[in-house]
């Protein structure tokens, strides 16, 4: 993968062409940094979330799922510190009225990076990143509510509900996948930083004093999970937050960074949030958020929290950027998305070699058998076989099953591997087990 904007442009155009990602409300010129996921995008998104949920909730006894609301009592955001502190410094150009982050570096020489006006930039002002709206019929200050900027707070205010309902004991975790909103000043780089996005966050509640150990545990678990998605290890690294980078709630934090075509950037965050959030919610709500040891009832504590937080869209961008390749095959450029089979939106394409001699009907039967077994398959009989292979390569489909003349006599098909381009013949009734074996 070349590390230049060229690759990003190609990826953006492939994503539109193949139905991964569309600009939202495109016919009206779009809206700032919000994207829609098309037929393949929504499958990739579901596969990302499924992989995360399986690892975090299904495979473990000590993590429970939750789906808290986006609109919460506004006091939540006072307690969490977001009303007072979730802000970026912003300057405005007096000429073109565009706004930029004061700490972005691009305005270093006092010049507007868009219109070029000199000495027209305002003094930095703090700009809160939360979207505000009103609840109910009256649009006054008392009716202000916020669109949540992180899912985490829903897990904190439900900490006792989940623990008691699921009969958990510390240490245990709460996992959530859900939308979050931030009025980012400098969004961009396609789906890397958007104003509406989805997060996969897990809050692990532990006894104070054991938090450093759990923090290390989750740091390595998360890197392992990412490696399991087939992401190139040399494009991943840890970045520890220095004291001046730490969020207001964090004692220690690591980013897992990925080397995007536009440079090394945060992919996922692992934070030791201490007892900051639970104690603040106790203070602001007046309700106790304590863990009482069921054996020793005198042992009461406010747990520390180790958090793992990653964006769904960001994971998709990592997977797509990592998978994108251009190869020279017999003098022609082949564009291929080498997505891990468990992330690939479509697992198999079923193709009749030609549109006659019963091949389309035979191919369609194989396709339908795969679909009814729960495997996402795609039937394509349009255009030359070479063209159809190329389309599937770009879409990231790992296997192409071709029904040809021989199929009609001996019930075998060819299976073409997207990455190696190797073809092998197998019995048509073995297609499902062949794919399932390789996926696992
Ligand atoms: N609860 C902690 C938290 O929200 P964060 O580092 O601000 O921490 C966690 O966000 C993850 O959410 C990031 O690592 C990134 O993957 C994703 N994320 C954050 N802001 C985003 C945005 N504007 N667009 C897309 N993804 C974003």
């Amino acid at each position: 993968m070349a590390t230049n904007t060229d690759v990003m442009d190609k990826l953006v155009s492939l994503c539109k062409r193949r139905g991964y990602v569309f600009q939202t409300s495109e016919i009206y010129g779009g809206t700032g940094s919000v994207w829609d996921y098309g037929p393949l995008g929504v499958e990739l998104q579901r596969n990302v979330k499924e992989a995360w949920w399986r690892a975090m909730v299904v495979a473990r006894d000590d993590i429970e799922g939750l789906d808290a609301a986006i609109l919460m009592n506004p006091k939540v955001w006072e307690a969490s510190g977001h009303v007072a502190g979730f802000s970026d410094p912003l300057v405005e150009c007096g000429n073109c009225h565009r706004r930029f982050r004061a700490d972005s570096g691009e305005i270093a020489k006092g010049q507007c990076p868009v219109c070029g006006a000199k000495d027209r930039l305002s003094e930095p002002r703090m700009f809160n990143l939360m979207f505000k709206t009103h609840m109910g019929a009256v649009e006054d200050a008392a009716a202000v509510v916020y669109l949540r900027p992180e899912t985490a707070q829903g897990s904190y205010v439900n900490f006792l509900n989940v623990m008691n309902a699921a009969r958990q004991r510390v240490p245990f975790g709460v996992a959530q996948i859900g939308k979050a909103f931030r009025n980012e000043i400098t969004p961009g780089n396609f789906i890397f930083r958007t104003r509406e996005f989805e997060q996969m966050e897990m809050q692990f509640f532990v006894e104070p004093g054991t938090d450093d150990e759990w923090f290390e545990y989750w740091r390595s678990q998360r890197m392992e999970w990412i490696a399991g998605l087939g992401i190139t290890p040399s494009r991943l690294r840890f970045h520890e937050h220095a004291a001046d980078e730490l969020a207001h709630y964090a004692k220690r934090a690591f980013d897992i960074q990925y080397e995007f075509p536009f440079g090394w950037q945060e992919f996922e965050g692992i934070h030791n949030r201490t007892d900051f959030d639970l104690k603040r919610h106790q203070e602001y709500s007046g309700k106790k958020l304590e863990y009482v040891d069921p054996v020793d009832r005198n042992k009461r504590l406010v747990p520390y929290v180790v958090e793992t937080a990653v964006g769904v869209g960001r994971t998709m961008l990592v997977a797509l950027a990592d998978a994108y390749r251009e190869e020279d095959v017999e003098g022609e450029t082949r564009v291929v998305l080498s997505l891990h089979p468990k992330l690939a939106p479509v697992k198999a394409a079923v193709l009749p070699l030609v549109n006659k001699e019963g091949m389309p009907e035979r191919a369609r039967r194989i396709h339908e058998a795969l679909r009814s077994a729960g495997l996402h398959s795609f039937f394509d009989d349009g255009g030359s076989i070479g063209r159809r292979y190329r389309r599937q390569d770009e879409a990231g489909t790992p296997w192409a099953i071709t029904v040809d003349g021989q199929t009609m006599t001996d019930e075998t098909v060819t299976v073409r591997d997207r990455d190696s381009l190797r073809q092998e013949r197998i019995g048509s009734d073995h297609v499902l087990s062949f794919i399932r074996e390789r996926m696992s």
Side-chain angles (χ1 to χ4, degrees):
M1 180 184 65
T3 56
N4 55 35
T5 49
D6 219 31
V7 173
M8 275 313 284
D9 289 347
K10 287 178 179 172
L11 191 59
V12 173
S13 103
L14 181 148
C15 282
K16 178 168 181 195
R17 195 166 64 243
R18 290 288 162 232
Y20 272 97
V21 184
F22 306 130
Q23 188 184 23
T24 196
S25 27
E26 189 184 10
I27 58 168
Y28 290 102
T31 191
S33 272
V34 184
W35 298 87
D36 296 340
Y37 294 114
L40 293 189
V42 81
E43 294 297 334
L44 173 58
Q45 186 190 50
R46 288 168 62 96
N47 294 340
V48 163
K49 292 196 271 187
E50 178 67 16
W52 188 86
W53 196 258
R54 270 179 190 277
M56 285 303 203
V57 182
V58 181
R60 306 184 61 111
D61 289 327
D62 58 355
I63 300 186
E64 305 291 341
L66 177 73
D67 185 12
I70 289 170
L71 298 174
M72 303 178 77
N73 187 307
K75 284 210 182 100
V76 167
W77 306 109
E78 285 173 35
S80 69
H82 284 81
V83 170
F86 193 54
S87 312
D88 279 339
L90 173 146
V91 294
E92 184 169 324
C93 170
N95 187 45
C96 69
H97 299 290
R98 286 198 170 80
R99 291 164 169 192
F100 311 94
R101 280 179 67 137
D103 56 0
S104 65
E106 54 180 354
I107 52 144
K109 293 188 192 100
Q111 186 171 5
C112 174
V114 172
C115 73
K118 281 200 170 144
D119 303 324
R120 299 292 310 276
L121 298 174
S122 68
E123 284 300 309
R125 273 189 305 127
M126 292 315 276
F127 173 81
N128 195 291
L129 301 186
M130 283 196 295
F131 279 100
K132 260 188 207 170
T133 187
H134 295 90
M135 189 172 267
V138 187
E139 286 202 9
D140 64 12
V144 164
V145 289
Y146 301 95
L147 301 190
R148 67 178 175 199
E150 61 171 9
T151 64
Q153 298 303 326
S155 299
Y156 302 142
V157 298
N158 277 299
F159 154 67
L160 284 183
N161 286 339
V162 174
M163 187 177 77
N164 294 334
R167 300 176 56 229
Q168 284 285 357
R169 289 180 185 187
V170 167
F172 79 99
V174 177
Q176 272 206 82
I177 300 178
K179 286 252 167 136
F181 302 82
R182 295 182 191 177
N183 197 2
E184 301 277 6
I185 304 168
T186 47
N189 282 325
F190 193 33
I191 54 172
F192 174 77
R193 185 176 289 116
T194 54
R195 292 194 168 106
E196 174 177 341
F197 57 101
E198 216 168 354
Q199 288 187 310
M200 304 185 284
E201 296 199 300
M202 193 281 299
Q203 317 301 321
F204 206 71
F205 300 93
V206 305
E207 217 178 301
T210 64
D211 50 307
D212 290 337
E213 213 176 299
W214 279 111
F215 183 79
E216 288 308 321
Y217 169 81
W218 279 111
R219 196 154 80 87
S220 69
Q221 283 289 304
R222 295 307 302 148
M223 191 59 115
E224 226 173 83
W225 181 77
I226 291 166
L229 301 180
I231 308 302
T232 311
S234 61
R235 292 197 198 118
L236 292 165
R237 71 180 185 195
F238 282 112
H239 163 75
E240 179 161 18
H241 284 209
D244 60 348
E245 283 176 276
L246 283 174
H248 60 276
Y249 49 71
K251 165 179 156 186
R252 202 155 171 235
F254 274 89
D255 290 341
I256 295 177
Q257 293 186 331
Y258 178 75
E259 190 180 19
F260 290 93
F262 43 86
W264 286 98
Q265 292 285 344
E266 175 181 348
F267 172 9
E268 164 152 4
I270 299 107
H271 314 122
N272 183 340
R273 293 180 73 135
T274 67
D275 54 6
F276 175 86
D277 299 273
L278 290 182
K279 282 213 166 133
R280 292 274 292 202
H281 286 306
Q282 286 200 141
E283 190 189 319
Y284 279 69
S285 69
K287 306 271 170 22
K288 283 221 172 314
L289 290 175
E290 281 180 346
Y291 169 71
V292 183
D293 190 289
V295 181
D296 176 2
R297 306 279 313 167
N298 291 323
K299 187 173 163 188
R300 292 167 173 262
L301 56 95
V302 177
Y304 267 39
V305 174
V306 175
E307 172 187 61
T308 74
V310 66
V312 176
R314 192 137 333 156
T315 309
M316 290 170 68
L317 184 58
V318 168
L320 289 165
D322 206 65
Y324 184 89
R325 314 203 191 304
E326 286 177 13
E327 293 170 357
D328 195 48
V329 179
E330 293 163 6
E332 267 187 48
T333 305
R334 175 175 93 114
V335 175
V336 56
L337 275 186
S338 290
L339 289 167
H340 191 291
K342 86 176 148 201
L343 294 184
V346 176
K347 311 302 181 198
V350 187
L351 319 169
L353 184 63
V354 288
N355 268 324
K356 52 185 182 188
E357 293 159 19
M359 291 181 215
E361 295 74 15
R362 187 70 200 90
R364 203 171 264 289
R365 282 209 299 280
I366 295 173
H367 161 66
E368 276 159 12
L370 293 177
R371 285 225 153 184
S372 52
L375 199 125
H376 203 142
S377 144
F378 182 79
F379 175 84
D380 188 3
D381 60 357
S384 76
I385 191 76
R387 264 242 181 98
R388 283 179 276 160
Y389 283 151
R390 296 283 175 277
R391 281 203 290 263
Q392 294 307 318
D393 289 343
E394 275 203 347
T397 308
W399 296 285
I401 318 296
T402 305
V403 169
D404 55 16
Q406 195 176 328
T407 315
M408 308 314 286
T409 57
D410 69 2
E411 277 299 321
T412 60
V413 292
T414 62
V415 183
R416 172 185 178 271
D417 182 281
R418 174 198 64 198
D419 298 332
S420 68
L421 295 178
R422 265 200 308 274
Q423 303 214 15
E424 60 185 292
R425 278 203 97 84
I426 63 169
S428 61
D429 53 349
H430 287 132
V431 172
L432 182 62
S433 56
F434 177 94
I435 293 173
R436 285 220 169 117
E437 240 167 61
R438 273 149 193 83
M439 292 213 7
S440 64

